[in-house]
Amino acid sequence: MTVRIGVIGTGAIGRDHARRINQVLGGATVVALSDLNRASAEAVKSDVAPDAAIFTTGEELIASPDVDAVLVTSWGATHEQYVLAAIAAGKPCFCEKPLATTADGAKRIVDAEVAHGKRLVQVGFMRRYDAGYVALKQFVDTKIGAPIMVHAAHRNPAVPEQYVTPMAIHDTMIHEIDVLRWLLNDDYVSARVLFPRSAARSHAKLRDPQIVILETAKGTIIDVEIFVNCHYGYDIQCEVVGEDGIASLPEPLAIQSRLGAKLQNDILTDWKDRFIASYDVELQDFINAAGKGTAAGPNSWDGYVAAITSDACVAAQEAEGAAVAINLPTRPALYN
Ligand code: NAP
């Protein structure tokens, strides 16, 4: 069966996902596109999805009998309405992060999916599909004993002028929030944020860097350095300290050279390159499950927990070093 996919939002990531569905992956084809900016949908049609019909609204695309499954890759604030419409139509739906921009919005999606009674939603937390994180998880699960601490870092060379302090959580740390919980098989119970002096390359509305400290239900302490003006490169670090040893996320493949009296290897500078292969794996997983009328991978509950945790981290930014409790509701059986 070829899964007929409709893509809502044909900006950077929507275009790229349409390309990988039609040119890289198997089992699916893009049959429909929709974007507030029709010219953008038309450009994607002409470049990578020649057979796609263009719909004026996402709701019309979801309702089309020619669409079996939906990709929501529009602006974050629109995700909730489209995911809810896809669930109401009983169609599998891949939603880029965030699942919703508020915890209440994510809860409405969880409630709708639970009422539907079957998983339909996959959230775009692609790091769970990265070969490095998958290998790290296998190692942590089997080799180093119970995790005690995690030291992580998320460093960007620079960010746009409009990037402000809470975005360090909602746009940047959101990936660590999901992947570390998955890596440790654990849930968060509190968050604290510490601010060293701001880097000279930052600006008045962005306190950068910051250190987010998460405590888990099993008592693991996680520190995540977020430094989005680090200048030198795009660098993701993760080290898990266990009872018996330490495991670290592998560095991206890079040639090591001995040249001009220097021993060196390159560091990436563009975030798009760091997890490029994982997007293929995550979307193939979506296609495979959608072909069976369901969804796999990170679920609505994960999206909801990420939203609750993000809100707590932003509250912790404002609490100037004080701990903010993270209280999760009971997980519905659908997500066990
Ligand atoms: P983008 O380039 O700005 O694309 C967003 C697109 O959605 C734009 O074409 C926008 O149109 C369109 N749009 C806005 N409102 C819409 C609506 N109501 N219905 C249909 N289309 C609408 O942004 P992007 O970088 O592709 O990001 C899109 C989403 O993917 C964001 O939620 C982002 O967080 C997520 N993302 C995830 C990753 C990841 O690593 N997992 C990476 C990148 C992005 P206009 O231009 O007319 O506003």
Coordinates of all heavy atoms in Angstrom, one line a residue, residues 8-15 17 34-38 40 56-58 72-79 81-82 96-98 124-126 171 175 271 275 279 282, ligand 1:
I8 N 0.8 20.0 5.6 CA 0.3 21.3 6.0 C 1.5 22.1 6.5 O 2.1 21.8 7.6 CB -0.8 21.2 7.1 CG1 -1.9 20.3 6.6 CG2 -1.3 22.6 7.5 CD1 -3.0 20.0 7.7
G9 N 1.8 23.2 5.8 CA 3.0 24.0 6.2 C 4.1 23.6 5.3 O 4.7 22.6 5.5
T10 N 4.4 24.4 4.3 CA 5.5 24.1 3.3 C 6.7 25.0 3.4 O 7.3 25.4 2.5 CB 4.9 24.1 1.9 OG1 4.3 25.3 1.7 CG2 4.0 23.0 1.7
G11 N 7.0 25.4 4.7 CA 8.2 26.2 5.0 C 9.4 25.3 4.9 O 9.4 24.2 4.2
A12 N 10.4 25.6 5.7 CA 11.7 24.9 5.5 C 11.6 23.4 5.8 O 11.9 22.6 4.9 CB 12.7 25.5 6.5
I13 N 11.0 23.0 6.9 CA 11.0 21.6 7.3 C 9.9 20.9 6.5 O 10.1 19.7 6.1 CB 10.8 21.4 8.8 CG1 11.2 20.0 9.2 CG2 9.4 21.7 9.3 CD1 12.6 19.8 9.8
G14 N 8.8 21.5 6.2 CA 7.7 20.9 5.4 C 8.2 20.5 4.0 O 8.0 19.4 3.5
R15 N 8.9 21.5 3.4 CA 9.5 21.2 2.1 C 10.5 20.0 2.1 O 10.5 19.1 1.3 CB 10.2 22.5 1.6 CG 11.3 22.2 0.5 CD 12.0 23.5 0.2 NE 11.2 24.4 -0.7 CZ 11.2 24.3 -2.0 NH1 12.0 23.5 -2.6 NH2 10.5 25.2 -2.7
H17 N 10.6 17.6 4.3 CA 9.9 16.3 4.6 C 9.2 15.8 3.3 O 9.3 14.6 3.0 CB 8.9 16.4 5.7 CG 9.6 16.5 7.1 ND1 10.8 16.0 7.3 CD2 9.1 16.9 8.3 CE1 11.1 16.2 8.6 NE2 10.0 16.7 9.2
S34 N -0.6 22.3 1.6 CA -1.4 23.4 2.0 C -0.5 24.4 2.8 O 0.4 23.9 3.6 CB -2.6 23.0 2.9 OG -3.2 24.2 3.4
D35 N -0.6 25.7 2.5 CA 0.2 26.6 3.3 C -0.5 28.0 3.2 O -1.2 28.3 2.2 CB 1.6 26.8 2.7 CG 2.6 27.5 3.7 OD1 2.4 28.7 3.9 OD2 3.4 26.8 4.2
L36 N -0.4 28.7 4.3 CA -1.0 30.1 4.3 C -0.5 30.9 3.1 O -1.3 31.6 2.5 CB -0.6 30.7 5.6 CG -1.6 31.6 6.4 CD1 -2.9 30.9 6.6 CD2 -1.0 32.0 7.8
N37 N 0.7 30.6 2.8 CA 1.4 31.3 1.7 C 1.3 30.3 0.5 O 2.1 29.4 0.4 CB 2.8 31.6 2.1 CG 3.6 32.2 1.0 OD1 3.1 32.3 -0.2 ND2 4.9 32.4 1.2
R38 N 0.3 30.5 -0.4 CA 0.0 29.5 -1.4 C 1.2 29.4 -2.4 O 1.5 28.3 -2.9 CB -1.2 30.0 -2.2 CG -1.7 28.9 -3.1 CD -3.0 29.3 -3.9 NE -3.3 28.3 -4.9 CZ -4.2 27.3 -4.7 NH1 -4.8 27.3 -3.5 NH2 -4.4 26.4 -5.6
S40 N 4.3 29.4 -1.6 CA 5.2 28.4 -1.0 C 4.8 27.0 -1.4 O 5.6 26.1 -1.7 CB 5.3 28.7 0.5 OG 5.6 27.5 1.2
T56 N -6.5 25.1 0.1 CA -6.5 26.5 0.7 C -6.3 26.4 2.2 O -5.6 27.2 2.7 CB -7.8 27.3 0.3 OG1 -7.9 27.2 -1.1 CG2 -7.7 28.7 0.8
T57 N -6.9 25.4 2.8 CA -6.8 25.3 4.3 C -6.3 23.9 4.6 O -6.6 22.9 3.9 CB -8.1 25.6 5.0 OG1 -9.0 24.5 4.7 CG2 -8.7 26.9 4.6
G58 N -5.7 23.8 5.8 CA -5.3 22.6 6.3 C -6.5 21.7 6.6 O -6.4 20.4 6.4
V72 N 2.0 17.7 9.9 CA 1.8 19.1 10.3 C 3.1 19.7 10.5 O 3.8 19.4 11.5 CB 0.9 19.1 11.6 CG1 0.7 20.6 12.1 CG2 -0.4 18.5 11.3
T73 N 3.5 20.6 9.6 CA 4.8 21.2 9.6 C 4.7 22.8 9.5 O 5.6 23.4 9.0 CB 5.7 20.7 8.5 OG1 5.0 20.7 7.3 CG2 6.1 19.3 8.8
S74 N 3.6 23.2 9.9 CA 3.3 24.7 9.9 C 3.9 25.3 11.1 O 4.5 24.7 12.0 CB 1.8 24.9 9.8 OG 1.1 24.2 10.8
W75 N 3.6 26.6 11.3 CA 4.1 27.4 12.4 C 3.5 26.7 13.7 O 2.4 26.3 13.7 CB 3.6 28.8 12.2 CG 4.0 29.8 13.3 CD1 5.2 30.0 13.8 CD2 3.1 30.7 13.9 NE1 5.2 31.0 14.7 CE2 3.9 31.5 14.8 CE3 1.7 31.0 13.8 CZ2 3.3 32.5 15.6 CZ3 1.2 32.0 14.6 CH2 2.0 32.7 15.4
G76 N 4.3 26.7 14.8 CA 3.9 26.0 16.0 C 2.6 26.3 16.6 O 1.8 25.3 17.0
A77 N 2.2 27.5 16.5 CA 0.9 27.9 17.1 C -0.3 27.3 16.4 O -1.5 27.3 16.9 CB 0.7 29.4 17.1
T78 N -0.1 26.8 15.2 CA -1.2 26.2 14.4 C -1.3 24.6 14.6 O -2.2 24.0 14.1 CB -1.1 26.5 12.9 OG1 0.1 25.9 12.4 CG2 -1.0 28.0 12.7
H79 N -0.3 24.0 15.2 CA -0.3 22.6 15.3 C -1.5 22.0 15.9 O -2.1 21.0 15.4 CB 1.0 22.1 16.0 CG 2.3 22.4 15.3 ND1 3.5 22.1 15.8 CD2 2.5 23.1 14.2 CE1 4.5 22.5 15.0 NE2 3.9 23.1 14.0
Q81 N -4.7 22.8 16.3 CA -5.9 22.7 15.5 C -5.9 21.6 14.4 O -6.8 20.9 14.2 CB -6.3 24.1 14.9 CG -5.5 24.5 13.7 CD -5.7 25.9 13.2 OE1 -5.2 26.8 13.8 NE2 -6.3 26.1 12.1
Y82 N -4.7 21.5 13.8 CA -4.6 20.5 12.7 C -4.5 19.1 13.3 O -5.1 18.1 12.7 CB -3.4 20.8 11.8 CG -3.5 22.1 11.1 CD1 -2.4 23.0 11.0 CD2 -4.7 22.5 10.4 CE1 -2.5 24.2 10.4 CE2 -4.8 23.7 9.8 CZ -3.7 24.6 9.7 OH -3.8 25.8 9.1
E96 N 5.3 18.1 13.7 CA 6.6 18.6 14.2 C 6.5 19.2 15.6 O 5.4 19.5 16.0 CB 7.1 19.7 13.2 CG 8.0 19.3 12.1 CD 9.2 18.5 12.7 OE1 9.6 18.6 13.9 OE2 9.8 17.7 11.9
K97 N 7.6 19.3 16.3 CA 7.5 19.8 17.6 C 7.3 21.3 17.5 O 7.7 21.9 16.5 CB 8.8 19.5 18.5 CG 10.1 20.0 17.8 CD 10.4 21.4 18.2 CE 11.6 22.0 17.4 NZ 11.6 23.4 17.5
P98 N 6.6 22.0 18.4 CA 5.9 21.4 19.6 C 4.5 20.9 19.2 O 3.9 21.3 18.2 CB 5.7 22.7 20.5 CG 5.5 23.8 19.5 CD 6.3 23.5 18.3
G124 N 7.4 15.0 16.3 CA 8.7 15.1 15.6 C 9.9 15.3 16.5 O 10.8 16.2 16.3
F125 N 10.1 14.4 17.5 CA 11.3 14.4 18.3 C 12.3 13.5 17.7 O 12.4 12.3 18.1 CB 11.0 14.0 19.8 CG 10.2 15.0 20.6 CD1 9.0 14.7 21.3 CD2 10.6 16.3 20.6 CE1 8.3 15.6 22.0 CE2 9.9 17.3 21.4 CZ 8.8 16.9 22.1
M126 N 13.0 14.0 16.7 CA 13.8 13.1 15.8 C 15.0 12.6 16.5 O 15.6 11.6 16.0 CB 14.1 13.8 14.5 CG 15.2 14.8 14.6 SD 14.9 16.2 15.7 CE 16.4 17.1 15.6
D171 N 12.3 26.4 22.2 CA 12.9 26.1 20.9 C 14.1 25.2 20.9 O 14.4 24.5 19.9 CB 13.1 27.4 20.1 CG 11.9 28.1 19.7 OD1 11.1 28.4 20.7 OD2 11.6 28.3 18.6
H175 N 14.4 19.7 22.8 CA 14.9 18.4 22.3 C 15.6 17.6 23.5 O 15.4 16.4 23.5 CB 15.9 18.6 21.2 CG 15.2 19.0 19.9 ND1 14.4 18.2 19.2 CD2 15.2 20.2 19.2 CE1 14.0 18.8 18.1 NE2 14.4 20.0 18.1
W271 N 22.7 23.5 12.5 CA 22.0 22.5 13.2 C 21.3 21.5 12.2 O 21.1 20.4 12.6 CB 20.9 23.1 14.1 CG 19.8 23.9 13.4 CD1 19.9 25.3 13.2 CD2 18.7 23.5 12.8 NE1 18.8 25.7 12.4 CE2 18.0 24.6 12.2 CE3 18.1 22.2 12.6 CZ2 16.8 24.5 11.5 CZ3 16.9 22.1 11.9 CH2 16.2 23.2 11.3
F275 N 21.4 16.3 12.7 CA 20.5 15.1 12.9 C 19.9 14.7 11.5 O 18.8 14.2 11.5 CB 19.5 15.4 14.0 CG 20.1 15.5 15.3 CD1 20.2 16.7 16.0 CD2 20.7 14.4 16.0 CE1 20.9 16.9 17.2 CE2 21.3 14.5 17.2 CZ 21.4 15.8 17.8
Y279 N 16.0 12.3 10.5 CA 14.7 12.7 9.9 C 14.2 11.6 8.9 O 13.0 11.4 8.9 CB 14.8 14.0 9.2 CG 15.1 15.2 10.0 CD1 16.3 15.9 9.9 CD2 14.2 15.8 10.9 CE1 16.6 17.0 10.7 CE2 14.5 16.9 11.7 CZ 15.7 17.5 11.6 OH 16.0 18.6 12.3
E282 N 12.9 8.7 11.1 CA 11.6 9.0 11.9 C 10.4 9.0 10.9 O 9.4 8.5 11.2 CB 11.7 10.3 12.7 CG 11.6 11.6 11.9 CD 11.3 12.8 12.7 OE1 11.0 12.7 13.9 OE2 11.4 13.9 12.2
Ligands
NAP1 P1 8.9 28.0 8.5 O1 10.0 27.9 7.5 O2 8.5 29.4 9.0 O3 7.6 27.3 8.0 C1 6.4 27.4 8.6 C2 5.4 27.4 7.4 O4 4.1 27.2 7.9 C3 5.4 28.7 6.6 O5 5.4 28.4 5.3 C4 4.1 29.4 7.1 O6 3.6 30.3 6.1 C5 3.2 28.2 7.3 N1 2.0 28.4 8.0 C6 1.9 29.3 9.1 N2 0.6 29.2 9.5 C7 0.0 28.3 8.8 C8 -1.3 27.8 8.8 N3 -2.3 28.3 9.6 N4 -1.6 26.8 7.9 C9 -0.7 26.3 7.0 N5 0.6 26.8 7.0 C10 0.9 27.8 7.8 O7 9.2 27.1 9.8 P2 10.0 25.7 9.8 O8 11.4 25.9 10.2 O9 9.6 24.9 8.7 O10 9.3 25.1 11.1 C11 7.9 24.6 11.1 C12 7.7 23.7 12.4 O11 8.7 22.7 12.4 C13 7.9 24.5 13.7 O12 7.0 24.1 14.6 C14 9.3 24.1 14.1 O13 9.5 24.2 15.5 C15 9.4 22.7 13.6 N6 10.8 22.3 13.3 C16 11.3 21.2 13.8 C17 12.6 20.9 13.6 C18 13.2 19.6 14.3 O14 14.4 19.6 14.4 N7 12.4 18.7 14.7 C19 13.4 21.6 12.7 C20 12.8 22.7 12.1 C21 11.5 23.1 12.4 P3 4.0 31.8 6.2 O15 5.4 31.8 5.7 O16 3.1 32.5 5.3 O17 3.9 32.3 7.6

